[in-house]
Amino acid sequence: MFDVQVLAFRTARELPEDTLRSIAAYYRRVTTLARPMNSAIGGVMLVTILALAAQIVRASGERWAGLMSVPLCAGPILLAGLRVVPNAVRLGARADLPLEQTRLARAICRDHLFCLWGILVFVALQLIAALR
């Protein structure tokens, strides 16, 4: 939802203040104020990696799907942990000037689009493997 707000102003130098306020408030809630529920996302990521590892180790016929899925799944997970979450925490704090907050919101949006692509291909591979 907040990425759509960013994309709506892709040609503007800075995002409008009300848009920055809305996006920053959301990221503050989900990264800082939602403890311990914000750990649930990390837990889901861990379970996904463990299930993928089990698929590779145990699935003799569909091992190809697990091996091909590793970068499609691990890439977005690493990106989220190393860049998206730190950027979201920083944006949620609203300590930077509006131009830097705009840069952070756009970086998060780009990263989300990359992660969406990876996860969609990951799910497609898993569905193909399950239907074989």
Side-chain angles (χ1 to χ4, degrees), residues 6 8-17 20 97-106 110:
V6 171
F9 295 101
R10 65 184 161 273
T11 60
R13 183 170 184 265
E14 284 184 15
L15 295 174
E17 172 56 29
L20 283 174
L97 295 174
L99 189 58
E100 179 61 13
Q101 291 178 47
T102 296
R103 187 195 69 74
L104 290 167
R106 287 184 172 143
R110 277 190 307 275

Side-chain angles (χ1 to χ4, degrees), residues 10-124:
R10 65 184 161 273
T11 60
R13 183 170 184 265
E14 284 184 15
L15 295 174
E17 172 56 29
D18 60 329
T19 300
L20 283 174
R21 184 181 327 108
S22 172
I23 296 168
Y26 169 76
Y27 286 124
R28 180 168 166 74
R29 274 193 311 277
V30 299
T31 62
T32 307
L33 301 177
R35 295 199 193 283
M37 285 304 295
N38 56 359
S39 300
I41 294 171
V44 168
M45 291 177 183
L46 178 62
V47 167
T48 302
I49 292 292
L50 293 174
L52 191 52
Q55 179 184 22
I56 292 168
V57 171
R58 296 180 150 218
S60 59
E62 305 304 333
R63 186 169 285 140
W64 65 269
L67 292 170
M68 289 180 66
S69 295
V70 169
L72 296 168
C73 185
I77 289 172
L78 286 171
L79 185 62
L82 297 174
R83 198 163 65 191
V84 175
V85 172
N87 283 346
V89 168
R90 185 171 165 190
L91 180 57
R94 297 214 69 194
D96 296 302
L97 295 174
L99 189 58
E100 179 61 13
Q101 291 178 47
T102 296
R103 187 195 69 74
L104 290 167
R106 287 184 172 143
I108 293 166
C109 179
R110 277 190 307 275
D111 291 346
H112 278 162
L113 292 173
F114 175 79
C115 290
L116 176 63
W117 174 86
I119 296 301
L120 286 175
V121 177
F122 165 75
V123 169

